Amino acid sequence: MGFTALAFDFGTRSIGCAVGQSITGTAQSLPAFKAKDGIPNWQAIEQCLKNWQPRVVIVGLPLNMDGTEQDLTLRAKKFAQRLHGRFGVEVILQDERLTTCDARAEIFERGGYRALDKGKVDGISACLILESWFVENPEFD
């Protein structure tokens, strides 16, 4: 049996989102959520959770390249805690150190410089966060 998972790429102005299936280990990006100083429209997040019914929610954890935390790390953790507290979903943090660079490279390959739209970067980052989590957690169910 496979399951559905959602991933969020937390940012203070935009929160990327992706949905994926454990059977295929692949994800597709969803529209990013606008945020105001890191606070999203919680009703929109709730609607997304209701639509997809994820078994687990993965939140990208932004760390410095040496693994130390930064201001955004704590804010992403707080976002993850609020997701769990408000909606009762299982939330797992996933190291996302390389995903934004990977996302930019992937978008650039697909559509060149004009395609580097911020919302698309966030969505593809969320896909990469989710796909890397699937790869690292094949036994999860």
Side-chain angles (χ1 to χ4, degrees), residues 10-15 33-42 75 82:
F10 178 80
T12 55
R13 290 195 298 277
S14 176
I15 298 171
F33 294 94
K34 292 265 177 276
K36 194 170 177 145
D37 196 28
I39 298 163
N41 173 339
W42 287 108
R75 299 184 71 172
R82 289 205 177 121

mmCIF file of all heavy atoms in Angstrom, residues 10-15 33-42 75 82:
data_model
loop_
_atom_site.group_PDB
_atom_site.id
_atom_site.type_symbol
_atom_site.label_atom_id
_atom_site.label_comp_id
_atom_site.label_asym_id
_atom_site.label_seq_id
_atom_site.Cartn_x
_atom_site.Cartn_y
_atom_site.Cartn_z
ATOM 1 N N PHE A 10 9.415 26.067 3.243
ATOM 2 C CA PHE A 10 9.062 27.263 3.996
ATOM 3 C C PHE A 10 9.894 28.472 3.582
ATOM 4 O O PHE A 10 11.103 28.381 3.402
ATOM 5 C CB PHE A 10 9.269 27.014 5.497
ATOM 6 C CG PHE A 10 8.972 28.218 6.337
ATOM 7 C CD1 PHE A 10 7.666 28.540 6.660
ATOM 8 C CD2 PHE A 10 9.994 29.038 6.768
ATOM 9 C CE1 PHE A 10 7.392 29.677 7.411
ATOM 10 C CE2 PHE A 10 9.728 30.174 7.514
ATOM 11 C CZ PHE A 10 8.422 30.497 7.840
ATOM 12 N N GLY A 11 9.215 29.592 3.454
ATOM 13 C CA GLY A 11 9.875 30.870 3.208
ATOM 14 C C GLY A 11 9.057 31.957 3.862
ATOM 15 O O GLY A 11 7.870 31.751 4.155
ATOM 16 N N THR A 12 9.634 33.125 4.085
ATOM 17 C CA THR A 12 8.891 34.177 4.780
ATOM 18 C C THR A 12 7.845 34.837 3.886
ATOM 19 O O THR A 12 6.850 35.349 4.376
ATOM 20 C CB THR A 12 9.836 35.249 5.346
ATOM 21 O OG1 THR A 12 10.644 35.754 4.289
ATOM 22 C CG2 THR A 12 10.713 34.685 6.447
ATOM 23 N N ARG A 13 8.058 34.830 2.560
ATOM 24 C CA ARG A 13 7.089 35.450 1.645
ATOM 25 C C ARG A 13 6.319 34.452 0.801
ATOM 26 O O ARG A 13 5.265 34.759 0.276
ATOM 27 C CB ARG A 13 7.804 36.446 0.723
ATOM 28 C CG ARG A 13 8.268 37.685 1.473
ATOM 29 C CD ARG A 13 8.645 38.807 0.540
ATOM 30 N NE ARG A 13 9.745 38.488 -0.343
ATOM 31 C CZ ARG A 13 11.034 38.584 0.004
ATOM 32 N NH1 ARG A 13 11.364 38.988 1.200
ATOM 33 N NH2 ARG A 13 11.975 38.295 -0.855
ATOM 34 N N SER A 14 6.882 33.259 0.655
ATOM 35 C CA SER A 14 6.259 32.250 -0.190
ATOM 36 C C SER A 14 6.603 30.874 0.387
ATOM 37 O O SER A 14 7.724 30.642 0.835
ATOM 38 C CB SER A 14 6.820 32.382 -1.608
ATOM 39 O OG SER A 14 6.309 31.368 -2.425
ATOM 40 N N ILE A 15 5.606 29.990 0.405
ATOM 41 C CA ILE A 15 5.811 28.633 0.918
ATOM 42 C C ILE A 15 5.491 27.677 -0.220
ATOM 43 O O ILE A 15 4.339 27.561 -0.645
ATOM 44 C CB ILE A 15 4.930 28.369 2.154
ATOM 45 C CG1 ILE A 15 5.315 29.341 3.284
ATOM 46 C CG2 ILE A 15 5.062 26.912 2.607
ATOM 47 C CD1 ILE A 15 4.392 29.327 4.473
ATOM 48 N N PHE A 33 2.072 28.955 -1.603
ATOM 49 C CA PHE A 33 1.224 29.765 -0.729
ATOM 50 C C PHE A 33 1.931 31.069 -0.445
ATOM 51 O O PHE A 33 3.108 31.065 -0.078
ATOM 52 C CB PHE A 33 0.964 29.032 0.595
ATOM 53 C CG PHE A 33 0.152 27.789 0.436
ATOM 54 C CD1 PHE A 33 0.772 26.556 0.289
ATOM 55 C CD2 PHE A 33 -1.233 27.845 0.400
ATOM 56 C CE1 PHE A 33 0.027 25.401 0.117
ATOM 57 C CE2 PHE A 33 -1.983 26.698 0.232
ATOM 58 C CZ PHE A 33 -1.360 25.469 0.088
ATOM 59 N N LYS A 34 1.215 32.168 -0.590
ATOM 60 C CA LYS A 34 1.791 33.459 -0.203
ATOM 61 C C LYS A 34 1.867 33.480 1.318
ATOM 62 O O LYS A 34 1.015 32.909 2.001
ATOM 63 C CB LYS A 34 0.878 34.604 -0.671
ATOM 64 C CG LYS A 34 0.833 34.751 -2.175
ATOM 65 C CD LYS A 34 1.841 35.803 -2.630
ATOM 66 C CE LYS A 34 1.894 35.943 -4.132
ATOM 67 N NZ LYS A 34 2.769 34.975 -4.785
ATOM 68 N N ALA A 35 2.896 34.125 1.827
ATOM 69 C CA ALA A 35 3.029 34.248 3.273
ATOM 70 C C ALA A 35 3.381 35.692 3.603
ATOM 71 O O ALA A 35 3.989 36.391 2.789
ATOM 72 C CB ALA A 35 4.119 33.305 3.783
ATOM 73 N N LYS A 36 2.972 36.113 4.773
ATOM 74 C CA LYS A 36 3.309 37.456 5.234
ATOM 75 C C LYS A 36 4.208 37.280 6.443
ATOM 76 O O LYS A 36 3.756 36.817 7.489
ATOM 77 C CB LYS A 36 2.018 38.206 5.593
ATOM 78 C CG LYS A 36 2.241 39.677 5.749
ATOM 79 C CD LYS A 36 0.936 40.418 5.855
ATOM 80 C CE LYS A 36 1.290 41.866 6.086
ATOM 81 N NZ LYS A 36 0.434 42.808 5.498
ATOM 82 N N ASP A 37 5.482 37.595 6.261
ATOM 83 C CA ASP A 37 6.486 37.382 7.302
ATOM 84 C C ASP A 37 6.420 35.952 7.860
ATOM 85 O O ASP A 37 6.463 35.734 9.061
ATOM 86 C CB ASP A 37 6.332 38.427 8.411
ATOM 87 C CG ASP A 37 7.582 38.474 9.295
ATOM 88 O OD1 ASP A 37 8.682 38.144 8.796
ATOM 89 O OD2 ASP A 37 7.461 38.806 10.479
ATOM 90 N N GLY A 38 6.294 34.988 6.958
ATOM 91 C CA GLY A 38 6.308 33.579 7.350
ATOM 92 C C GLY A 38 4.960 33.016 7.759
ATOM 93 O O GLY A 38 4.843 31.840 8.057
ATOM 94 N N ILE A 39 3.922 33.853 7.783
ATOM 95 C CA ILE A 39 2.609 33.377 8.208
ATOM 96 C C ILE A 39 1.725 33.203 6.976
ATOM 97 O O ILE A 39 1.418 34.174 6.286
ATOM 98 C CB ILE A 39 1.963 34.343 9.217
ATOM 99 C CG1 ILE A 39 2.845 34.408 10.464
ATOM 100 C CG2 ILE A 39 0.549 33.876 9.569
ATOM 101 C CD1 ILE A 39 2.567 35.587 11.350
ATOM 102 N N PRO A 40 1.337 31.952 6.699
ATOM 103 C CA PRO A 40 0.512 31.699 5.520
ATOM 104 C C PRO A 40 -0.959 31.938 5.835
ATOM 105 O O PRO A 40 -1.343 32.157 6.980
ATOM 106 C CB PRO A 40 0.760 30.212 5.264
ATOM 107 C CG PRO A 40 0.921 29.645 6.646
ATOM 108 C CD PRO A 40 1.652 30.720 7.427
ATOM 109 N N ASN A 41 -1.771 31.833 4.803
ATOM 110 C CA ASN A 41 -3.215 31.796 4.991
ATOM 111 C C ASN A 41 -3.523 30.368 5.442
ATOM 112 O O ASN A 41 -3.497 29.428 4.640
ATOM 113 C CB ASN A 41 -3.900 32.120 3.659
ATOM 114 C CG ASN A 41 -5.404 31.947 3.725
ATOM 115 O OD1 ASN A 41 -5.939 31.252 4.581
ATOM 116 N ND2 ASN A 41 -6.083 32.572 2.799
ATOM 117 N N TRP A 42 -3.792 30.195 6.735
ATOM 118 C CA TRP A 42 -3.979 28.849 7.282
ATOM 119 C C TRP A 42 -5.189 28.146 6.680
ATOM 120 O O TRP A 42 -5.211 26.930 6.584
ATOM 121 C CB TRP A 42 -4.049 28.891 8.813
ATOM 122 C CG TRP A 42 -2.712 29.160 9.424
ATOM 123 C CD1 TRP A 42 -2.300 30.307 10.034
ATOM 124 C CD2 TRP A 42 -1.583 28.272 9.466
ATOM 125 N NE1 TRP A 42 -0.986 30.176 10.448
ATOM 126 C CE2 TRP A 42 -0.533 28.951 10.118
ATOM 127 C CE3 TRP A 42 -1.367 26.966 9.000
ATOM 128 C CZ2 TRP A 42 0.724 28.360 10.327
ATOM 129 C CZ3 TRP A 42 -0.119 26.386 9.208
ATOM 130 C CH2 TRP A 42 0.906 27.081 9.870
ATOM 131 N N ARG A 75 12.254 29.295 12.227
ATOM 132 C CA ARG A 75 10.932 29.657 11.712
ATOM 133 C C ARG A 75 10.285 28.483 10.981
ATOM 134 O O ARG A 75 9.076 28.279 11.075
ATOM 135 C CB ARG A 75 11.052 30.887 10.827
ATOM 136 C CG ARG A 75 11.590 32.055 11.672
ATOM 137 C CD ARG A 75 11.651 33.324 10.932
ATOM 138 N NE ARG A 75 10.291 33.799 10.706
ATOM 139 C CZ ARG A 75 10.007 34.979 10.204
ATOM 140 N NH1 ARG A 75 10.975 35.807 9.891
ATOM 141 N NH2 ARG A 75 8.773 35.350 10.019
ATOM 142 N N ARG A 82 3.250 24.258 14.053
ATOM 143 C CA ARG A 82 1.888 24.780 13.879
ATOM 144 C C ARG A 82 1.058 23.868 12.979
ATOM 145 O O ARG A 82 -0.133 23.677 13.226
ATOM 146 C CB ARG A 82 1.935 26.187 13.287
ATOM 147 C CG ARG A 82 2.441 27.186 14.293
ATOM 148 C CD ARG A 82 1.934 28.582 13.972
ATOM 149 N NE ARG A 82 2.382 29.500 15.003
ATOM 150 C CZ ARG A 82 3.139 30.564 14.787
ATOM 151 N NH1 ARG A 82 3.535 30.856 13.561
ATOM 152 N NH2 ARG A 82 3.493 31.340 15.783
#
